[in-house]
Amino acid sequence: SVVTLARPLWSLLVPPGMGLAVYLWTGEWQAYTSARRSDAVLLAFRSTLVAAEKVSAERGPSNAALGAEQPDTAALLRARDASDAAMQAAIAALAAAECAECDKARAALQQTRGHLAQARVGIDQVIARPLEERETVASAVAAMFSIIDEMLPVADGLLSALQRGVPVAAQHAANARFAAELREYAGRAGSVFTSALVANRPLRSGE
């Protein structure tokens, strides 16, 4: 009968058909998980740049406090809180992302967070002195520069992961990284003047 003839034909067609379905499903799943992973890395990259921007912005009220007889500590504390929140968000985003660079980046940011705390202690010690005795302003400002010098290379490591997963997005990310560096060095130009302003002296050749 037709049914009897169809059974062996069906038995020949089903295994290849199931194999093709599994193959297609596996490919789609891999593409889906890869996209999810890339999205997580992109978020971690963005969060790292935002954290660097917040720490850079913290130098504004920090420098103002270094040069003021009566520092605005409330503004400085608000800026520090913003930096801390952004730093924690970046560390959390890196923990959620799945890539070898992300693990290294998270460890690096955790270490940098400790260095930031040390730099703030140095600034607070300078601020606590009378204005005419603040002779270590330059080193306090330089300590804050070094924090950004640690953070931007963390973003560079994440770019490598993005280039493997989403090359097009990686190009946009590279542009954002370059813009962040331009903003940072523009901000440093103003910070360099802090020591001379506090001491009420002319700029030195190195400045």
Side-chain angles (χ1 to χ4, degrees), residues 44-45 48 89-98 101-103 105-106 109 154 158:
F45 174 84
T48 300
I91 291 172
L94 287 164
E98 298 178 5
E101 292 88 350
C102 299
D103 293 337
R106 180 165 55 89
L109 277 192
V154 171
L158 297 174

Side-chain angles (χ1 to χ4, degrees), residues 6-199:
R7 283 175 180 170
L9 182 60
W10 180 253
S11 66
L12 291 174
L13 292 176
V14 168
M18 291 181 63
L20 178 61
V22 169
Y23 173 78
L24 293 175
W25 182 87
T26 301
E28 290 297 323
W29 177 253
Q30 289 175 342
Y32 170 75
T33 54
S34 177
R36 286 284 300 271
R37 191 178 297 114
S38 296
D39 286 346
V41 175
L42 191 59
L43 175 61
F45 174 84
R46 178 183 179 280
S47 299
T48 300
L49 287 188
V50 169
E53 183 179 349
K54 293 296 183 183
V55 174
S56 181
E58 182 183 323
R59 290 202 308 265
S62 177
N63 293 343
L66 287 168
E69 289 189 25
Q70 300 295 327
D72 185 355
T73 54
L76 179 55
L77 290 175
R78 286 194 298 271
R80 288 178 175 179
D81 287 344
S83 296
D84 290 341
M87 184 78 80
Q88 182 55 44
I91 291 172
L94 287 164
E98 298 178 5
C99 70
E101 292 88 350
C102 299
D103 293 337
K104 294 177 182 178
R106 180 165 55 89
L109 277 192
Q110 288 172 331
Q111 185 177 43
T112 298
R113 183 163 55 179
H115 295 162
L116 176 59
Q118 294 171 3
R120 289 170 174 172
V121 169
I123 287 172
D124 291 343
Q125 289 173 344
V126 176
I127 292 172
R129 301 172 192 155
L131 191 60
E132 62 274 10
E133 296 179 11
R134 297 177 189 174
E135 299 174 352
T136 56
V137 169
S139 60
V141 171
M144 290 298 292
F145 287 165
S146 68
I147 302 303
I148 305 301
D149 291 339
E150 293 181 22
M151 295 182 73
L152 290 182
V154 171
D156 293 340
L158 297 174
L159 272 177
S160 298
L162 288 172
Q163 287 166 349
R164 290 197 307 270
V166 276
V168 175
Q171 182 58 53
H172 293 294
N175 293 338
R177 163 67 176 83
F178 181 64
E181 187 164 3
L182 289 179
R183 286 195 300 270
E184 167 60 17
Y185 284 102
R188 287 192 186 196
S191 295
V192 167
F193 301 143
T194 304
S195 180
L197 291 172
V198 172

